Amino acid sequence: MKKFNIKRYLLVASAFMLAYMLSAQNIYDLRLNEVLPVNVENYEDDFGIRNGWFEVFNSSYGTVDIGGCYLTNDINIPTKYRIPKGDILTSIKPRQHVLFWADNKPTHGTFYVNFKLDETNFIALFSTDGKTLIDSISFPKNIAADISYGRLTDGNGKWAILERTTPSSTNVVVEGETANQRLLTNDPSGAIMAVTAMSVVFAALALLFIFFKLIGRSAIYMSNKRAQRAAEKQDKYNKPSISASASVRESGEICAAITMAMHEYLKDEHDIESTILTIQRVKRTYSPWSSKIYVLKETPHKK
């Protein structure tokens, strides 16, 4: 039986608690961001019907799953509409929005709540426990049709009547020319853009050429150094010793004498003079004319 390791279980429990705390902390970064109470000629839902809508914004820099939280238009009933879990669309990406339709028809889907905005002028978002208030907004009752009420800056800005409705997108409307429009005005032919692009390309090519040139020279230098070290090592092993070089200088007669002396000593074939070995060089002059086969055996006679 394995020994109970309390430290391991405490570590696992701490990890789960930390993950839960981080998840809960992300939920509290959700913010009600924009409300359109009366929809006459504004956006249509997936069924082609115009109803009031409101927007929730994820002000954090991590993905937040809004599933399991509660939405209500009555502060006394915080669990009026529970956002279903398991829908992949309830995971709100960082600094993004999700849109809810207030048509009192929750059977239409996850993002269709069971109340309408013209019933009250209040919306609240509660945590998964149904008790902790995350965010709420009381919007004016006299807002005209197709006019939205929202934050001037997404997530934490002041609430006001917006100049235009922006469902599922940022409330900040950029006025004036964009960078592309200014470039088109200043460079209608595209010459500046072409020169800039070519300059960047050629500069990159030049840097690549210099880089690979340096790499090649470094590789050649290292290869030469390795070859030089290998040659020095080989010369060191092939260098003859002093005794070997001395034996090379000895004559053949001396080597032969030493060999013969060792042979006679080992075979016990030496003469009486056991300590003296005499070797005389024999010189023989050979000529074809001194061979017996060339000697005249018969006296020539005249016939």
Side-chain angles (χ1 to χ4, degrees), residues 30-96:
L30 297 175
R31 294 290 181 270
L32 295 168
N33 201 56
E34 187 177 359
V35 181
L36 185 105
V38 182
N39 186 354
V40 177
E41 296 181 353
N42 204 261
Y43 293 90
E44 298 178 352
D45 61 13
D46 295 336
F47 299 91
I49 303 174
R50 292 184 176 91
N51 285 293
W53 51 262
F54 59 93
E55 182 183 77
V56 177
F57 176 70
N58 177 14
S59 62
S60 72
Y61 292 91
T63 300
V64 178
D65 190 357
I66 199 175
C69 295
Y70 295 90
L71 290 166
T72 184
N73 63 344
D74 189 347
I75 191 64
N76 297 318
I77 310 176
T79 59
K80 191 169 188 179
Y81 178 74
R82 184 177 184 271
I83 303 172
K85 288 185 176 182
D87 192 336
I88 190 172
L89 298 178
T90 58
S91 295
I92 310 175
K93 294 182 179 181
R95 311 294 296 177
Q96 296 299 317

Side-chain angles (χ1 to χ4, degrees), residues 43-287:
Y43 293 90
E44 298 178 352
D45 61 13
D46 295 336
F47 299 91
I49 303 174
R50 292 184 176 91
N51 285 293
W53 51 262
F54 59 93
E55 182 183 77
V56 177
F57 176 70
N58 177 14
S59 62
S60 72
Y61 292 91
T63 300
V64 178
D65 190 357
I66 199 175
C69 295
Y70 295 90
L71 290 166
T72 184
N73 63 344
D74 189 347
I75 191 64
N76 297 318
I77 310 176
T79 59
K80 191 169 188 179
Y81 178 74
R82 184 177 184 271
I83 303 172
K85 288 185 176 182
D87 192 336
I88 190 172
L89 298 178
T90 58
S91 295
I92 310 175
K93 294 182 179 181
R95 311 294 296 177
Q96 296 299 317
H97 314 72
V98 65
L99 193 67
F100 288 89
W101 294 92
D103 60 352
N104 198 20
K105 296 179 180 179
T107 56
H108 282 181
T110 301
F111 301 98
Y112 295 83
V113 299
N114 57 354
F115 56 84
K116 290 190 175 183
L117 296 180
D118 54 4
E119 297 173 355
T120 62
N121 64 328
F122 176 79
I123 303 176
L125 172 65
F126 282 85
S127 181
T128 54
D129 59 3
K131 299 178 181 179
T132 306
L133 179 64
I134 297 176
D135 195 17
S136 64
I137 178 62
S138 296
F139 51 89
K141 293 182 178 181
N142 57 349
I143 298 178
D146 302 324
I147 300 297
S148 64
Y149 185 72
R151 297 179 186 271
L152 298 178
T153 303
D154 291 336
N156 56 5
K158 180 182 178 182
W159 286 84
I161 300 294
L162 301 181
E163 296 181 2
R164 65 184 69 178
T165 57
T166 57
S168 297
S169 99
T170 179
N171 295 351
V172 179
V173 179
V174 179
E175 299 292 345
E177 290 185 338
T178 62
N180 292 335
Q181 292 173 341
R182 290 195 298 271
L183 180 61
L184 183 61
T185 302
N186 298 327
D187 184 27
S189 63
I192 298 176
M193 177 63 71
V195 171
T196 303
M198 292 177 65
S199 301
V200 172
V201 170
F202 282 112
L205 290 175
L207 290 176
L208 287 174
F209 173 78
I210 295 172
F211 174 75
F212 286 115
K213 191 72 173 178
L214 293 175
I215 291 294
R217 289 185 177 180
S218 177
I220 293 173
Y221 175 77
M222 295 299 295
S223 178
N224 293 336
K225 292 291 289 184
R226 286 195 295 269
Q228 184 179 358
R229 286 196 296 267
E232 292 176 354
K233 189 175 181 181
Q234 188 68 22
D235 292 341
K236 180 179 179 180
Y237 284 119
N238 293 337
K239 186 177 181 180
S241 60
I242 298 176
S243 59
S245 59
S247 63
V248 171
R249 293 194 297 269
E250 299 294 343
S251 63
E253 291 82 357
I254 296 176
C255 293
I258 295 174
T259 303
M260 186 175 293
M262 293 179 65
H263 175 73
E264 291 183 355
Y265 177 78
L266 294 175
K267 297 294 183 178
D268 197 17
E269 295 179 357
H270 53 82
D271 52 10
I272 299 175
E273 298 174 348
S274 59
T275 59
I276 300 174
L277 179 63
T278 303
I279 298 177
Q280 294 181 354
R281 181 175 297 183
V282 178
K283 293 184 179 180
R284 292 182 180 179
T285 303
Y286 173 79
S287 174

